[in-house]
Amino acid sequence: MYQNDTQRPSDLVKDELPDVDVARAVPSEEEIEEAMKDVVDPELFVNIVDLGLLYGVTVDDEGNVTLDMTLTSPTCPLTDKIEYDTRYVLEGLAKSVTVNWVWLPPWSLEKITDDGREQLRAIGYNL
């Protein structure tokens, strides 16, 4: 088959990867907030940004992201799911992600954006 049974076509390619770290672009707070719109509250089916659950975004000079987030209720059983989804959507964008769960100020319906209200109305909520 091949000249040598131990040689494969992939062995003929000798691309070497550089030994240097590829510089990662540091994301802006706006880019992080936009990416967070892909995290959907599993009970309300609206993204957490438009629900008003994202209280703050901090990005340091190395691309480490710290998020201040809350939930609609401190007893929400889906905290782990939301945190997992957060880390998933920021993978590759942020060097690391830290979620600070905060309870003050408490979340209220007034924190929902106009887009969030439209999304909730579309699925039957009367706001």
Side-chain angles (χ1 to χ4, degrees):
M1 180 184 231
Y2 299 109
Q3 294 175 345
N4 181 343
D5 285 337
T6 61
Q7 190 176 30
R8 302 178 318 227
S10 60
D11 292 335
L12 301 174
V13 178
K14 300 293 182 194
D15 288 337
E16 298 286 330
L17 296 174
D19 289 336
V20 295
D21 289 334
V22 177
R24 176 193 310 248
V26 174
S28 68
E29 292 176 7
E30 293 79 18
E31 290 173 312
I32 296 297
E33 186 172 324
E34 188 63 32
M36 290 298 292
K37 289 182 179 179
D38 288 339
V39 178
V40 174
D41 182 286
E43 292 178 311
L44 297 174
F45 308 110
V46 175
N47 74 72
I48 65 169
V49 174
D50 286 326
L51 280 176
L53 301 178
L54 181 64
Y55 280 8
V57 176
T58 305
V59 182
D60 71 13
D61 293 340
E62 296 177 8
N64 300 301
V65 173
T66 302
L67 303 170
D68 291 333
M69 293 172 36
T70 195
L71 298 166
T72 56
S73 165
T75 60
C76 177
L78 299 167
T79 306
D80 291 342
K81 170 76 169 125
I82 293 172
E83 190 163 338
Y84 174 85
D85 291 349
T86 295
R87 293 181 189 287
Y88 181 79
V89 302
L90 297 181
E91 188 177 330
L93 189 59
K95 182 176 179 182
S96 70
V97 177
T98 301
V99 176
N100 292 326
W101 293 106
V102 297
W103 308 109
L104 293 174
W107 180 84
S108 65
L109 293 175
E110 290 77 33
K111 297 196 180 300
I112 303 173
T113 67
D114 290 339
D115 286 343
R117 290 176 187 282
E118 286 181 33
Q119 292 171 53
L120 287 168
R121 285 186 196 110
I123 59 173
Y125 286 94
N126 186 15
L127 297 176

